[in-house]
């Protein structure tokens, strides 16, 4: 079972994402656990992997589900109070603070994999530069120093750099390191690259950039994963925002279709992917559990159609 199915970034659909109660949260994870074609979860790690703690998550999800840990949520949370925080930051103090956060992630992942061998299969890293500093060169240099240090640690999982829309793109949302520089920095390491559909589409303000990014990562021999979040030009998910809109089959304004998924998987067939999956958001804070689960099941259905 381990290599069939998809990695599900379910946390933006979970009731806890909107500070709902534990009863709703339990119902959500129980219903998700009964959903087929799930290999495991993409989970953010702040202090823990879940607002109710690691043990809670393990207790309420199937034991054979694997986990991809993502650093993005805590990176963005810290950048909310200090925009210089990040692995690609030219602010040395905040770059080191980011390194220390990754040290916490390694200890967390090691502890989980010691207890449940093979549970955490990958860590998604992000190349966050110093906000307000437009120098791609300085951000690249800072990221290279961070990667040299982090890649030298003994990891019990794969390291995957998740590309987010670039700092030199049009009206950046995340505004992280451009893919060209990312590929240059990681070329002599074991770190591969994850292309997230929405984050590439947002960078290009079009639906063709994701495929271009897949080709660039393939050419560099670095394509390691594909994740699918949607974006919209209008509607409640905003104007080219990084808000993980569902598929067009569920959300009429969404620009992400089954065909787009198929295009990326067809291109990626030349690579051995470590994982692929979805990360989708329930935009309505008051949505019931059924609606939250329906978004994810629709996404899994779209992924199945696209990969068969």
């Amino acid at each position: 079972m381990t290599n069939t199915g998809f990695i599900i970034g379910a946390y933006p659909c979970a009731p806890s994402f909107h500070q709902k109660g534990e009863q709703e949260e339990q119902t959500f994870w129980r219903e998700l656990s009964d959903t087929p074609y799930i290999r495991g979860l993409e989970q953010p790690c702040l202090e823990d992997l879940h607002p109710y703690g690691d043990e809670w998550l393990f207790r309420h999800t199937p034991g054979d589900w694997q986990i991809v840990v993502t650093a993005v949520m805590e990176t963005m949370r810290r950048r909310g109070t200090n925009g210089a925080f990040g692995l690609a930051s030219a602010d040395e103090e905040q770059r080191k603070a980011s390194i220390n956060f990754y040290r916490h992630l390694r200890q967390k992942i090691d502890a989980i994999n010691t207890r449940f061998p093979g549970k955490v299969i990958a860590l998604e890293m992000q190349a966050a530069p110093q906000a307000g500093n437009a120098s791609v060169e300085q951000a690249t240099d800072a990221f290279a120093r961070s990667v040299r240090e982090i890649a030298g640690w003994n990891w019990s999982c794969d390291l995957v750099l998740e590309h987010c829309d670039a700092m030199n793109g049009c009206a950046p949302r995340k505004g992280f390191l451009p893919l060209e520089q990312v590929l240059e920095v990681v070329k002599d390491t074991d770190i591969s690259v994850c292309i997230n559909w929405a984050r590439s589409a947002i960078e290009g303000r079009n639906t063709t950039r994701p495929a271009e990014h897949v080709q660039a990562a393939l050419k560099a021999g670095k394509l390691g994963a594909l994740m699918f979040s949607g974006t919209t030009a209008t509607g409640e998910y905003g104007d080219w925002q990084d808000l993980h809109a569902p598929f067009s089959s569920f959300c009429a304004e969404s620009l992400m279709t089954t065909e787009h998924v198929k295009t990326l998987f067809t291109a990626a067939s030349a690579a051995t992917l470590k994982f692929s999956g979805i990360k989708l958001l329930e935009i309505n804070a008051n949505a019931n559990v059924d609606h939250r689960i329906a978004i994810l099941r629709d996404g899994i259905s779209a992924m199945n159609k696209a990969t068969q």
Side-chain angles (χ1 to χ4, degrees):
M1 270 302 286
T2 47
N3 290 316
T4 59
F6 305 107
I7 293 293
I8 310 300
Y11 66 93
C13 277
S16 59
F17 195 77
H18 294 122
Q19 287 80 50
K20 300 294 180 188
E22 188 173 357
Q23 195 56 53
E24 273 184 71
E25 188 76 0
Q26 277 188 26
T27 305
F28 173 84
W29 288 104
R30 189 171 61 244
E31 290 194 19
L32 194 68
S33 298
D34 289 339
T35 304
Y37 305 109
I38 296 180
R39 177 185 174 187
L41 301 172
E42 181 198 62
Q43 280 294 114
C45 186
L46 310 185
E47 191 56 41
D48 293 309
L49 292 173
H50 188 276
Y52 296 135
D54 298 346
E55 296 307 319
W56 194 99
L57 185 72
F58 299 147
R59 204 164 57 244
H60 291 93
T61 53
D64 61 352
W65 276 9
Q66 293 178 307
I67 294 174
V68 172
V69 174
T70 177
V72 75
M73 196 170 170
E74 178 67 354
T75 297
M76 295 310 292
R77 190 185 75 80
R78 297 226 197 162
R79 286 169 73 81
T81 53
N82 192 323
F85 181 86
L87 291 181
S89 177
D91 178 320
E92 190 61 10
E93 187 184 326
Q94 287 304 308
R95 187 186 73 82
K96 284 181 172 164
S98 185
I99 293 270
N100 283 335
F101 168 55
Y102 278 83
R103 197 171 274 116
H104 161 68
L105 291 176
R106 187 178 75 106
Q107 289 164 350
K108 170 76 72 177
I109 290 166
D110 273 0
I112 294 168
N113 281 342
T114 298
R115 196 172 145 198
F116 308 111
K119 183 81 168 172
V120 178
I121 56 170
L123 168 66
E124 282 177 313
M125 310 163 60
Q126 290 81 24
Q130 179 182 8
N133 181 345
S135 171
V136 172
E137 191 180 352
Q138 285 182 21
T140 306
D141 177 64
F143 184 56
R145 278 181 290 135
S146 296
V147 162
R148 263 198 304 277
E149 185 167 350
I150 290 171
W153 300 343
N154 188 19
W155 289 87
S156 62
C157 68
D158 287 320
L159 296 181
V160 179
L161 189 289
E162 182 189 35
H163 177 64
C164 301
D165 72 288
M167 60 199 292
N168 57 359
C170 158
R173 298 303 181 201
K174 290 277 187 292
F176 287 1
L177 201 62
L179 184 62
E180 182 185 353
Q181 279 73 20
V182 163
L183 291 170
E184 179 61 32
V185 170
V186 302
K187 71 176 181 188
D188 294 324
T189 71
D190 291 332
I191 300 170
S192 63
V193 169
C194 172
I195 300 300
N196 175 302
W197 191 87
R199 288 173 173 159
S200 293
I202 289 164
E203 180 178 314
R205 287 290 198 276
N206 60 47
T207 58
T208 54
R209 185 63 58 87
E212 291 164 12
H213 280 170
V214 166
Q215 291 295 352
L218 267 176
K219 191 175 169 196
K222 282 294 177 183
L223 185 65
L226 295 176
M227 286 296 283
F228 292 88
S229 292
T231 189
T232 55
T234 58
E236 57 187 355
Y237 283 89
D239 166 25
W240 294 100
Q241 297 294 328
D242 191 8
L243 288 176
H244 320 309
F247 280 86
S248 60
S249 47
F250 198 93
C251 167
E253 297 86 12
S254 178
L255 301 170
M256 183 171 65
T257 66
T258 306
E259 284 308 309
H260 289 134
V261 178
K262 189 173 285 211
T263 299
L264 261 58
F265 273 107
T266 302
S269 61
T272 306
L273 296 180
K274 299 176 192 308
F275 61 89
S276 62
I278 57 174
K279 173 158 65 184
L280 306 173
L281 167 72
E282 171 60 80
I283 197 85
N284 176 8
N286 295 312
N288 62 24
V289 168
D290 286 349
H291 194 265
R292 294 169 183 276
I293 292 290
I295 288 175
L296 297 170
R297 287 183 177 167
D298 175 78
I300 292 167
S301 171
M303 294 287 283
N304 273 327
K305 283 181 193 145
T307 53
Q308 275 163 11

